[in-house]
């Protein structure tokens, strides 16, 4: 398998964790998101993904996009060890936590959104950073409230089993730290983060450990 990705990309980070967790080797193909205006916009990459977004997973010529769809594909093709529980209610909970980040927080702070704010709407860097922090802090507060209310957490978001929810939480926290977001209001999320970062699958997938890390 070949993963088109970039060390800082949190959606790529999710897929790297899942591949590591399942013990699946892969070729690391760099798509630099800022060099020369962004390699994601190059015609060669648009031919791979017309959305001009990473990650893309190439599995024997089949190109898969959208990190959560890729992870569900890996789950179906390589079920062990699992990243989704078997009980329907638990699966729905795990997916809701993952989607709460992937749909409600991450897209608002994607690189192209931040670029549009600065280049087209002429907001200052301070305003852009305030926008970033606002959506991360508010979004994580909602995740924290869900985790507490559902009473399903253990070491991880679902008891003591690593799931898709943890795979999506960890990269979002890396982003939050990079932009100096407040995190003291989400102690449950941070406890889960700390426990995940004791596991090699998460540690080895972090940005600083990637071949293109700057
Ligand atoms: N929903 C997509 C999001 C993919 C995404 O936004 N990727 C970012 C990097 S984390 C990207 O390629 N950004 C390029 C840009 O904004 O121009 C997924 O989960 O795969």
């Amino acid at each position: 398998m070949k993963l088109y990705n970039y060390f800082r990309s949190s959606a790529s980070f999710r897929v790297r964790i899942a591949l590591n967790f399942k013990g699946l080797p892969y070729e690391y193909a760099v798509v630099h998101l800022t060099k020369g205006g962004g390699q994601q916009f190059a015609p060669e990459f648009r031919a791979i993904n017309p959305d001009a977004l990473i990650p893309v997973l190439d599995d024997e010529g089949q190109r898969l996009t959208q990190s959560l769809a890729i992870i569900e594909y890996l789950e179906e093709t390589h079920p062990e060890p699992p990243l989704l529980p078997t009980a329907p209610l638990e699966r729905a909970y795990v997916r809701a936590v993952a989607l709460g980040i992937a749909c409600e927080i991450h897209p608002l702070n994607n690189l192209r959104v931040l670029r549009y704010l600065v280049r087209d709407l002429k907001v200052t860097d301070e305003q852009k950073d305030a926008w970033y922090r606002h959506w991360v802090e508010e979004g994580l507060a909602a995740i924290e409230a869900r985790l507490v209310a559902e009473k399903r957490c253990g070491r991880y978001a679902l008891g003591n089993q690593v799931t898709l929810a943890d795979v999506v939480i960890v990269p979002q926290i890396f982003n939050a730290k990079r932009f100096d977001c407040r995190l003291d209001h989400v102690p449950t999320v941070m406890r889960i983060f700390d426990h995940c970062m004791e596991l090699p699958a998460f540690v080895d997938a972090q940005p600083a450990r990637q071949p293109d890390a700057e």
Side-chain angles (χ1 to χ4, degrees), residues 58-75:
D58 186 316
D59 189 9
E60 297 188 359
Q62 298 296 318
R63 285 170 177 160
L64 310 168
T65 60
Q66 289 293 341
S67 60
L68 297 194
I70 294 170
I71 294 170
E72 294 244 5
Y73 168 80
L74 293 173
E75 181 74 1

Side-chain angles (χ1 to χ4, degrees), residues 103-119:
C103 298
E104 311 304 338
I105 303 177
H106 180 266
L108 288 163
N109 288 339
N110 204 355
L111 186 58
R112 61 186 178 181
V113 172
L114 303 180
R115 274 192 181 142
Y116 181 72
L117 287 173
V118 174
R119 283 191 198 160

